[in-house]
Amino acid sequence: MDPREEFRRHFRPAVTVGAALVVSLALYLGLVEALRAALRPFRGFAPGGGGPSPRYAVFGAAAAVILAILVLRRRFDRSDGRKEGPAAGLRRLQTWAVLFLVLGEVPAVLGLGLFLVRGEASDFYKLLFASLLLTFINFPRAPAWEEWLNGGQS
């Protein structure tokens, strides 16, 4: 198979997943804004929600996910799938890219859950921003993939 076609066969699905996750983040934002507008003032479905403990737990879990992404990225950078051939390297890139993208959405999902329970939109916005940033950082880019496949040589 043509190497460019093989590249596109692995790159396009990763980009599609990334785009779908960006759309889902926009849907979460739309849901939050719709609830705030329709149920003004929205205080959550469990007002108070057990004091500050759930908030700390959610922010702690989001921080743990961000830390996990950093640790996994370092592991990915050290792994060398290129030795197994270009097809194996592309499979590895695709798998890691989707993993990083999905993990990057976790803070927003946690923030949405926290908003639904407690009704505090500011917490959701903070975690949504973290997810958007992680998605931007981890979004598949063709030049970065090509550089990795070439062994880091520009």
Side-chain angles (χ1 to χ4, degrees):
M1 181 181 283
D2 176 36
R4 295 300 304 167
E5 184 57 36
E6 182 78 13
F7 181 84
R8 280 189 290 269
R9 195 169 70 88
H10 287 87
F11 183 71
R12 282 186 183 156
V15 169
T16 302
V17 168
L21 291 175
V22 169
V23 168
S24 71
L25 293 174
L27 288 173
Y28 301 155
L29 178 62
L31 175 64
V32 167
E33 291 304 317
L35 283 172
R36 288 183 66 208
L39 302 174
R40 187 168 300 237
F42 184 70
R43 303 217 191 285
F45 294 118
S53 297
R55 184 171 189 250
Y56 294 145
V58 165
F59 275 91
V65 168
I66 293 169
L67 183 63
I69 290 172
L70 294 173
V71 169
L72 289 172
R73 175 158 301 282
R74 187 168 253 157
R75 182 174 177 203
F76 168 72
D77 288 341
R78 276 191 252 143
S79 69
D80 196 0
R82 298 170 285 237
K83 293 178 183 175
E84 302 164 13
L90 284 168
R91 279 193 304 276
R92 182 174 296 224
L93 274 170
Q94 183 183 42
T95 301
W96 284 98
V98 170
L99 176 68
F100 291 143
L101 287 167
V102 170
L103 285 174
E105 188 173 7
V106 170
V109 172
L110 292 170
L112 179 62
L114 187 61
F115 168 75
L116 292 173
V117 171
R118 297 176 54 105
E120 296 178 23
S122 63
D123 291 339
F124 168 73
Y125 296 139
K126 291 170 189 169
L127 293 168
L128 176 67
F129 177 75
S131 286
L132 285 170
L133 188 62
L134 290 169
T135 301
F136 175 75
I137 290 169
N138 294 310
F139 201 87
R141 292 171 181 78
W145 278 37
E146 290 167 351
E147 181 180 340
W148 189 84
L149 288 170
N150 293 330
Q153 304 159 358
S154 299

